[in-house]
Structure formats: structure tokens, C-alpha cells
Amino acid sequence: MTDHENFMQQALEEANKALAAGEFPVGCIMVLEDKIISRGRRINSKAPNDNELDHAEIVTLRELFAQHPEIDRSEIVVYSTMEPCLMCYVTLLLNGIRKIVYGYEDIMGGGTNLDLQTLKPLYREMSVEIIPHILRRESLELFNAFFADQDNTYWKDSPLARYTVAQIAAETEK
């Protein structure tokens, strides 16, 4: 198992905890010098506290700030079971993160394809490394389990839900 797979496995553990709580199964960890320094998962994706602020990456950043405010964030590697959305991607960048590894692509709201060169100088001057599809199948299975559960209404019948079902079908045919 590679280091990326090992650390993504830890993010998957967080995602499994989210799924067990009925939340959207995104898990995130932050790694510095081969040590996990922060971890989190999606919260408040279901009523009564549902919102679009408590994404796994944001929760994990808040944990990092609380536990390690002194750390140079430019050396941190973020591992997320789903491609960070545009909000999370830009928040990570603005907070100094420059390396992001993810499992499953977010075809509905993923932000990592944003061409920073077309933006204002603040973003244009950033150099970011994105590593996609690490343990993609394992991440895909979690999202499929979430969408298959009738009790979960978050993004039900969305393009992401339909894409996930189609991806599982395609993987099964292989």
C-alpha cells in the first residue's frame, strides 16, 4: 500500500463515521511530515441543522487551527474521500494548502479543475498539486451506500447521485 493509499484509508475511516451517523460520507485528514495532524468529516448534511458550511475540509481546517495554529500550512497534504467543492478548494488555498489528494470526483461541484491562471493575481500566482482517484472505488462505494439509503435525502436525485449509481453499475460490469 502506498503512502497516499494509507492516508486515504484514514480519510475513509472518517467518511465511514459520517455515513454511520447518516451524514454525507466525506472524510478528510491533514498530514504533515507523514503524521496526521487533523481529521474531520462532513457534519450537518441532514435536518434539523443542515447547512453547506460544515464540509469535511472546513471541519478539518477548524480542527487544525484549534490544535496547531503555529504550523506552516504550505507543507500540509490534504486527503479527502471526495474532490473538494469550489468553496472548500478555495478555502484550502487561501489558508496555504498546496497539495490535495482525493478519492472520488465531484462531478456536480468539484473545484479542483478551476483554472487559477484565469483569476486575479492572488490565485494566479499559486502553484497547487492535485492527485485524484486514490482509493476511488472505496470512496465510490460509500457514496453509493449513502444514496441507496432511502432515509438520506441530501442530494437525492441529483446529478451526483445518478452519476454514482452509473459508476457503480459500470464498475460491476468490469
Side-chain angles (χ1 to χ4, degrees):
M1 185 174 278
T2 68
D3 284 346
H4 287 319
E5 290 170 336
N6 182 44
F7 287 123
M8 186 60 73
Q9 190 62 49
Q10 296 296 310
L12 283 162
E13 286 182 22
E14 291 298 318
N16 272 303
K17 291 175 187 175
L19 183 63
E23 299 284 358
F24 197 56
V26 181
C28 180
I29 65 163
M30 295 184 177
V31 175
L32 179 65
E33 298 174 356
D34 292 325
K35 294 181 189 150
I36 297 173
I37 56 170
S38 186
R39 54 177 62 235
R41 60 187 164 274
R42 179 67 161 99
I43 58 173
N44 296 323
S45 63
K46 62 181 184 173
N49 299 317
D50 53 325
N51 68 66
E52 288 301 329
L53 295 173
D54 296 323
H55 289 201
E57 297 87 351
I58 304 300
V59 170
T60 308
L61 264 175
R62 286 182 182 143
E63 176 69 17
L64 175 72
F65 296 155
Q67 299 299 318
H68 304 286
E70 75 291 349
I71 286 180
D72 174 9
R73 291 174 236 145
S74 67
E75 299 300 317
I76 292 174
V77 181
V78 170
Y79 291 83
S80 184
T81 56
M82 176 169 264
E83 175 186 7
C85 71
L86 187 56
M87 173 185 73
C88 291
Y89 180 54
V90 171
T91 300
L92 291 169
L93 295 182
L94 289 174
N95 281 284
I97 306 294
R98 296 295 183 265
K99 188 170 186 176
I100 300 168
V101 180
Y102 68 83
Y104 185 51
E105 64 275 11
D106 181 355
I107 59 97
M108 200 167 76
T112 64
N113 286 324
L114 177 64
D115 184 0
L116 299 176
Q117 298 306 307
T118 65
L119 301 177
K120 302 289 183 183
L122 173 67
Y123 301 99
R124 197 170 38 238
E125 295 170 5
M126 294 179 180
S127 177
V128 182
E129 183 179 358
I130 307 293
I131 301 172
H133 303 134
I134 301 298
L135 299 184
R136 181 184 183 272
R137 172 71 184 200
E138 292 83 345
S139 294
L140 171 61
E141 289 171 354
L142 286 176
F143 292 104
N144 188 59
F146 178 84
F147 290 124
D149 184 342
Q150 295 302 312
D151 291 336
N152 295 326
T153 58
Y154 186 73
W155 294 121
K156 189 68 91 185
D157 299 321
S158 67
L160 179 61
R162 291 188 296 275
Y163 177 78
T164 299
V165 170
Q167 290 299 299
I168 284 290
E171 292 280 330
T172 304
E173 290 177 5
K174 288 183 181 177

